[in-house]
Amino acid sequence: MNKLSITILLLIFFANTQAQYRNPLPTNAQLKWHKNNFYFFMHFGPNTFTGKEWGDGNEKTEIFNPSQLNTDQWCKVAKESGAKGIIITAKHHDGFCLWPSKYSTHTVRESGFKRDILAELAASCKKVGLLFGVYLSPWDRNHPEYGTEKYNDVFVNMLEEIFQKYGPIWELWWDGANGEGPNGKLQVYDWKRYEQLVRKLSPQTIIFSDIGPDARWVGNESGYAGKTNWNLLDTAGYKRGHGAPSQDSLGTGNYKGANYIPAEVDVSIRPGWFHRNGENEKVKTAEQLFKIYLESIGRGANLLLNVPPDARGLIHENDINALKGLKSKIDQIEKVDLFKNAALNEAGPDKNNPKKNSTWYYMLKSPATIKGIILEEDLKYGQKIASANISLSLNGEQVFQETITTIGNKRIILLPNTVQATELSIVINEAKGLPVLKRARAF
Ligand code: FUL
């Protein structure tokens, strides 16, 4: 074969692979991550004592001295709130390490507080069956090697230390915020090396960053995902931290995105990421938190709710109260199923067009008072549904109708008014291949 025919063959092959779009599937680790869709974030460090949002790395280590630190209390609150895990800021941008790292001199070991907080939290999580996750800021405003190639070794060594001492680590969080280090230099991160190391040390760990590889940032810190939310993202040509896709694309994902990278909504229960005494009256209310739940989990994303411990090393009473209110609201929608005993008719898709018109039709013997509907796609076959018609009827007469776009892990549809209904019908208008829905629920 001469060079020309090889080139032609390659071009044909390339054109074919472009034309045959394959819907990316989640890994097993991602499927488990979808199931555990609500968990806590905890920002804790020198900023808890200085009131700063971003420490500059010059804070004296002695200031870090919580008087009553109790990671069992954090876990109790998380459990009672229905959260499935905790992700802790092992190191924020100020470089202070909540564990006595061999690769830093700015740690709990040098502070007034000598205890290893990562060890304590990992043990508390294990005791009560919570997942344990770690936020490790690549940006480090304290480390003397930051801005040089040697810092890549430091970051790799820290990752190794954390995974070996405190694993299993369920989710690893890489923050996109990035700036200069103490010597005024920017760092060139060796992302490939970091990622390969984590994959080797712990293949099941979910790696989060603005562009994944396993979970993506949702594009805002206010607590909502796009109404249309694809678990797919095109990342080619983008870089972590700088030059990520637009915040809108992060919120909606890409319809034909090349990679399975679902969205995680990170938002704080308080005005800032760290606890500040002056803000105890500004904790979000149960109603505000529930709205966040509906607009994150209810739009198919995971919810990472930041509940930062205070300077005592405890979760403040006001946060606990708001979380209790949230839990009872969640239970009111997740723990009831008015269509549990409804008869179900499933009309398969049109054979000539498997993408269209799958219908699920639920029938009750007597009317139920309905406030909302919960739909879930079975994601092991990929995310497929692009548009669906949802309607409720009372003995054949329509009382509610809405057209929605994506469903994904979960779609919660809150009705504008409570209605009496005997029938629920879900008609798929458009899907990428055969749609697979789990049994619908109503509350
Ligand atoms: C941001 C950080 O700069 C904030 O301090 C916080 O940690 C938030 C979750 O991510 O990028």
Side-chain angles (χ1 to χ4, degrees), residues 88-101:
I88 174 85
T89 51
K91 173 173 85 107
H92 202 251
H93 311 323
D94 58 24
F96 183 83
C97 301
L98 295 186
W99 80 104
S101 175

Side-chain angles (χ1 to χ4, degrees), residues 41 43 53-54 92-93 135 173 175 177 221 266 273:
F41 214 177
H43 278 68
E53 267 302 312
W54 281 4
H92 202 251
H93 311 323
Y135 164 116
W173 223 87
D175 199 311
E221 293 177 339
D266 61 316
W273 289 102

